Amino acid sequence: MNIAHWLYQTARARPRVAAVKLGTALVCDYATLARRAQALSRQLGARGVGAGDRVALFAANCPEYLEILHACWWLGATVVPINYKLHPREAAWIIEDCGARLALTGAGEMGGLGLLPEGCTEIAIDSEAYRAAVTEKAALSAPPPQDAGAVAWLFYTSGTTGRPKGVMLSHGNLLAMAMAYTMDVDHIAPGDHSLYAAPMSHGAGLYALPFIRAGAAHVIPASGGFDPAEIIALAGDLGGLCFFAAPTMIKRLVTAAKAVGYRGEGIRTIVYGGGPMYGADIDEALAQFGPRFVQIYGQGETPMTITALPRDLVADDSHPDWRARRDSVGFAQAPVEVRILADDGTPLPPGKPGEIAVRGATVMLGYWNRPEATAETIVDGWLRTGDLGCLDADGFLTLTDRSKDVIISGGSNIYPREVEEALLLHPSVHEVSVIGSPDPEWGETVVAFVVAAPGASCDQPTLDDWCRSHIAGFKRPKRYVFTDALPKNSYGKVLKTELRQQLAPGR
Ligand code: AMP
């Protein structure tokens, strides 16, 4: 099956139903969305993009996002959506790594900065060339069939090694993920609005698929991102709003709602995940908005689909174990099995903590051009998540820790090594170690411990400027601690636990 077939079917069954809105303004119906996607696919083909080729998409959330995804699939190509918050240099690295033939960018920034890799052409979405490419008026015809194992989406996740890896998601993976949404997360009703308050290059965009299938409308906020006041206004104007939000976004939404006495009217469902939701925060959100929340736990390697905690169980406070259940991430979603593994890889019984492993139809094919990393991550058919957790006797999974050193700030993953490597390029930096520090608003913030090079001095503004030109803004340390030496063990490994203690209150 070709995942673009869902758009083709909805366009024929519900041609005049609203498909895309920018804020409250209608952009196009389903017939137009499908026609534009097909027209764009032909233009991409005319520019030499063929089945199996990679097409990069480096743009903020915009009304064109869905037609670009579908144009690639219509052609049998693989789309590579890149987080628009990345620095263009980081995007250039991804474009080169995946060997993209073509890059669609918001305003032609790759070529403009001289960062477009050789062999790759660029189309700016805000250009006349793009507008011409989507206007062809040919009759709609079915997208060509695809093997379920063909790569539909290359999802770049940051790696502990400092460089992101491309997770290969097949048409079959996306199908299984979308079906799990309707089985385990929520049903989609006519008149619902899928709102994109989080980057469409990630989970929020992947979740567009079940809404395409159902013929619901897709709403791009005029701000392009997450603005609590705008969401409250859109909920009132549109109704039936469903969206994915990181826990920190929910916290900000609840604070804004309290300030204006808003109780969630017009919001149908908020799916939360991507980072830990603290018990007090979900309690407060439920008290303000009522049972509008569903939790999911997933990762790029099995997108949005490891476990889910359904709406009724998030809200339940009558079961003897309700507190533990609300603080868990729920139970395995329909397409997958979940196991806990000991250090030696043997499965552990309920109640014993270990590494979470997943097997099933949503698990990636592997990492793009990284057979060793794939072999380390998928062992005997089981995906090693790198997360630590514990299953209870009823199948509820509680995350205990992350075995990787990842920092999750505002729902975005930041790998310390990436930040450390950028800082170490600065001539005045001798040694550096980056950790996450608990933060009530962002979950965690990035803190860098820096040892200056002999005879050199460094300061926060200099290093901040340096980071701005090397890494994405959200990865920049919010705080620097300048020190004479880093604490290390006898193997010379920096003791991050000691650094965390140094930041503990009272130290
Ligand atoms: P990504 O691959 O960027 O989607 O990040 C996935 C990681 O985010 C997971 O491996 C977890 O560490 C974390 N994560 C995702 N969902 C949840 C959740 N519901 N609760 C806690 N952490 C989560």
Side-chain angles (χ1 to χ4, degrees):
M1 66 87 65
N2 184 330
I3 203 75
H5 204 278
W6 288 353
L7 174 58
Y8 174 61
Q9 182 58 60
T10 301
R12 289 180 302 155
R14 309 178 199 274
R16 298 289 152 244
V17 167
V20 181
K21 296 182 182 179
L22 179 61
T24 53
L26 180 66
V27 173
C28 66
D29 59 22
Y30 267 98
T32 311
L33 178 62
R35 192 184 44 67
R36 286 171 64 99
Q38 180 181 268
L40 180 59
S41 81
R42 293 203 176 138
Q43 288 302 317
L44 299 183
R47 288 173 192 242
V49 179
D53 285 342
R54 273 79 55 211
V55 176
L57 170 53
F58 182 45
N61 291 359
C62 59
E64 293 84 1
Y65 216 95
L66 293 174
E67 70 201 23
I68 295 171
L69 296 179
H70 284 82
C72 297
W73 300 328
W74 219 289
L75 197 63
T78 300
V79 67
V80 190
I82 302 173
N83 185 353
Y84 70 90
K85 293 183 189 165
L86 291 188
H87 192 280
R89 273 181 212 280
E90 296 170 305
W93 187 88
I94 290 175
I95 292 170
E96 190 149 15
D97 186 67
C98 72
R101 250 178 188 277
L102 197 132
L104 287 138
T105 61
E109 42 275 75
M110 301 309 296
L113 292 167
L115 290 171
L116 200 65
E118 217 172 292
C120 181
T121 51
E122 181 174 27
I123 304 178
I125 298 168
D126 73 354
S127 68
E128 201 41 57
Y130 183 88
R131 280 186 284 281
V134 292
T135 49
E136 188 193 286
K137 289 267 186 307
L140 208 55
S141 54
Q146 276 292 330
D147 193 284
V151 185
W153 186 307
L154 259 189
F155 180 104
Y156 271 81
T157 78
S158 296
T160 40
T161 50
R163 284 295 194 190
K165 295 192 284 286
V167 171
M168 294 188 285
L169 299 175
S170 67
H171 286 259
N173 289 149
L174 300 185
L175 165 100
M177 176 216 64
M179 288 175 65
Y181 183 94
T182 52
M183 293 182 85
D184 289 327
V185 179
D186 201 14
H187 66 277
I188 305 172
D192 279 352
H193 287 94
S194 171
L195 174 81
Y196 300 94
M200 293 175 82
S201 52
H202 281 58
L206 285 157
Y207 265 177
L209 291 169
F211 289 86
I212 295 265
R213 175 76 191 168
H218 304 264
V219 182
I220 313 297
S223 68
F226 177 76
D227 174 349
E230 184 182 27
I231 291 179
I232 293 170
L234 284 173
D237 291 337
L238 298 172
L241 222 54
C242 306
F243 57 96
F244 174 79
T248 50
M249 291 160 71
I250 295 180
K251 206 170 154 64
R252 286 171 60 197
L253 186 62
V254 170
T255 305
K258 281 185 163 173
V260 296
Y262 169 70
R263 313 282 306 187
E265 304 85 353
I267 293 180
R268 218 167 69 74
T269 304
I270 303 176
V271 181
Y272 65 94
M277 172 63 108
Y278 299 107
D281 292 343
I282 186 63
D283 292 354
E284 198 183 6
L286 284 165
Q288 188 67 20
F289 292 158
R292 289 180 163 83
F293 298 92
V294 180
Q295 183 179 195
I296 61 103
Y297 158 56
Q299 59 176 204
E301 288 82 348
T302 170
M304 312 300 264
T305 318
I306 300 176
T307 61
L309 186 64
R311 177 192 307 263
D312 59 317
L313 297 181
V314 172
D316 180 31
D317 55 8
S318 59
H319 189 278
D321 285 342
W322 72 267
R323 181 76 261 169
R325 287 180 164 199
R326 189 181 286 173
D327 292 344
S328 79
V329 291
F331 48 86
Q333 292 191 42
V336 298
E337 300 163 86
V338 173
R339 267 182 176 179
I340 304 298
L341 303 178
D343 286 347
D344 64 3
T346 53
L348 289 167
K352 295 271 180 230
E355 185 177 1
I356 299 162
V358 185
R359 180 168 73 172
T362 49
V363 171
M364 65 168 180
L365 302 173
Y367 295 114
W368 176 256
N369 278 347
R370 303 275 192 291
E372 302 83 18
T374 303
E376 277 167 22
T377 308
I378 302 181
V379 181
D380 299 330
W382 288 84
L383 170 76
R384 302 288 184 92
T385 62
D387 292 319
L388 303 180
C390 188
L391 281 167
D392 74 8
D394 297 331
F396 286 77
L397 177 69
T398 298
L399 299 192
T400 48
D401 206 348
R402 297 185 296 264
S403 60
K404 297 169 187 164
D405 250 343
V406 66
I407 299 168
I408 301 187
S409 184
S412 294
N413 285 5
I414 301 163
Y415 285 84
R417 175 89 178 256
E418 268 187 288
V419 184
E420 289 163 2
E421 279 174 352
L423 283 168
L424 281 168
L425 292 174
H426 193 278
S428 69
V429 174
H430 174 55
E431 275 190 310
V432 64
S433 184
V434 167
I435 60 167
S437 169
D439 181 89
E441 190 179 356
W442 296 102
E444 289 179 290
T445 52
V446 179
V447 180
F449 286 77
V450 176
V451 181
S457 69
C458 34
D459 53 57
Q460 171 138 0
T462 310
L463 295 183
D464 196 47
D465 273 348
W466 180 260
C467 285
R468 273 177 207 279
S469 62
H470 284 79
I471 50 173
F474 68 88
K475 299 177 187 170
R476 276 158 42 225
K478 298 281 177 298
R479 185 175 158 199
Y480 288 83
V481 180
F482 295 97
T483 173
D484 290 335
L486 296 172
K488 293 185 185 148
N489 69 12
S490 55
Y491 298 104
K493 198 169 139 57
V494 176
L495 296 167
K496 291 205 173 190
T497 36
E498 207 154 296
L499 295 176
R500 287 191 191 99
Q501 281 161 13
Q502 286 186 27
L503 292 182
R507 285 288 298 265

